[in-house]
Amino acid sequence: MTAAREAIALPLVFLTVTLLGGLRIADGVALLPPSLFALVLSVLLLGLLVRCGALAPNRLVHASRSFLANVNGLVVMLSAFLASAQAFNVATPESGAPRVLFNLVYLVLLANTIAASPDRARVLRSLLVIFGSAFIVKFIVLSALSHPAEGTVTRALQVLFEGVTLGSVTQDVFHPATGYIAFGTLMLYLFGLVLLPAADRGGLKPAATYRTSLNTNREGNELEE
Amino acid sequence: MVAMRDGVVRGIGLALALGYAALIAWLYVQQPQSAAEVTGGLSAAIGSYRVDPAAFDDGLQFFRRDQFAAARMAFERADPAHQDARVQFYIAYSYYRQGWGRFYQDDTLFAQGLEAVNRAIARAPGGRIRVDDPDLQMRSGEELKAELEAGLERDASDFNPASVLRPRK
């Protein structure tokens, strides 16, 4: 990894995600800090990235590196942590039952992915699906349900839906620009994850590495015999 | 040579990242509502923010003629970044006077006034704002804030017939 990528590109990408992840445009502009649960999810996600090899902390902070390089590495890790929290913040509905449900689903998905120990590529693909689905549900499905309807019949259906769900599903309506900015933010975040220094595993997947080491042992035993 | 260039890149990157992080933290704390508030807030932070005196005088003249909407427009021109405590005080006062009624207060205007006076108090050094204007009966941020809050409250005193006789401050 080049010094420019580590010292300039990665911090700027992740800090931009941190800035834009909390941006909500409605009547005014609001910058929402991440919730406590988003911080917890962020820790889990960083753990997952380290486990799958998408993030190699020893390539960012290590005794063999210079002090300045270690500080740069620390900045990358801190900004990645904040950006992850803000990525969850932007992809999670603001209130009601959907917010609780989304947080639970994130928790289960992350725990499940950590337990499955997939490789880097699969984790990144999985994150794309998680954040992509969350974006679609929040900014397209829930937004359509919450947006004031124009026709009388549609409005009546909307009132009926709100009554049935006790108003726990509908969300605050944001300016359309919020959705576009959220999309760009999530894409930028995933791009940042791709740029992170990966663990050197010789291009082999963990499962393949395991099989290879088993075969090597077996061959070694055969040779000894 | 390469090591030196790496060191320079890392140093520049670190400075950029720290500066950017500080800007983000500032934005999250200040919650600016417009680009003018961002630039005004930043220039206020380095002490270079100035109110437009001509626009402020225009605002005062409109204010004294009870043309409150026009006064607020002029005050907005004078202090587009909402950084000056005195201008924000006058904006709050204009909401108070416009929203004041002998029989009822306009809650919307009073709420906007409360927002403005809170801004004025937040911007004033030590949170203490005092405007020595003989035209005003309330000259401190605390008095104006208390009056606006009282106007927004609903209690038994609202039904006191004698309240019709209270003067506009």
Side-chain angles (χ1 to χ4, degrees), chain A residues 91-173:
Chain A
T92 309
E94 309 301 322
S95 59
R99 184 178 177 83
V100 179
L101 200 66
F102 267 57
N103 280 329
L104 276 176
V105 169
Y106 289 142
L107 186 68
V108 172
L109 282 175
L110 286 177
N112 182 55
T113 315
I114 289 172
S117 295
D119 62 5
R120 175 177 178 270
R122 282 179 183 149
V123 166
L124 292 178
R125 276 203 297 266
S126 160
L127 288 176
L128 179 67
V129 172
I130 291 174
F131 284 119
S133 316
F135 175 84
I136 289 168
V137 174
K138 180 181 173 180
F139 286 99
I140 297 172
V141 179
L142 286 176
S143 174
L145 288 172
S146 310
H147 208 274
E150 284 174 8
T152 315
V153 178
T154 327
R155 206 172 300 155
L157 283 173
Q158 201 173 44
V159 170
L160 195 68
F161 177 75
E162 271 194 43
V164 169
T165 57
L166 301 172
S168 62
V169 172
T170 47
Q171 303 286 308
D172 293 337
V173 179

Side-chain angles (χ1 to χ4, degrees), chain A residues 209-223:
Chain A
T209 314
Y210 178 65
R211 271 198 298 274
T212 310
S213 65
L214 274 181
N215 290 340
T216 315
N217 287 344
R218 215 172 286 147
E219 281 163 14
N221 290 341
E222 280 166 9
L223 280 176

Side-chain angles (χ1 to χ4, degrees), chain A residues 15-16 18-19 29 31 72 86, chain B residues 10 13 20 24 28 31 33:
Chain A
L15 286 173
T16 303
T18 305
L19 172 64
V29 178
L31 289 166
N72 286 142
Q86 285 296 60
Chain B
R10 286 185 183 285
Y20 194 19
I24 292 169
Y28 271 79
Q31 299 278 331
Q33 296 296 305

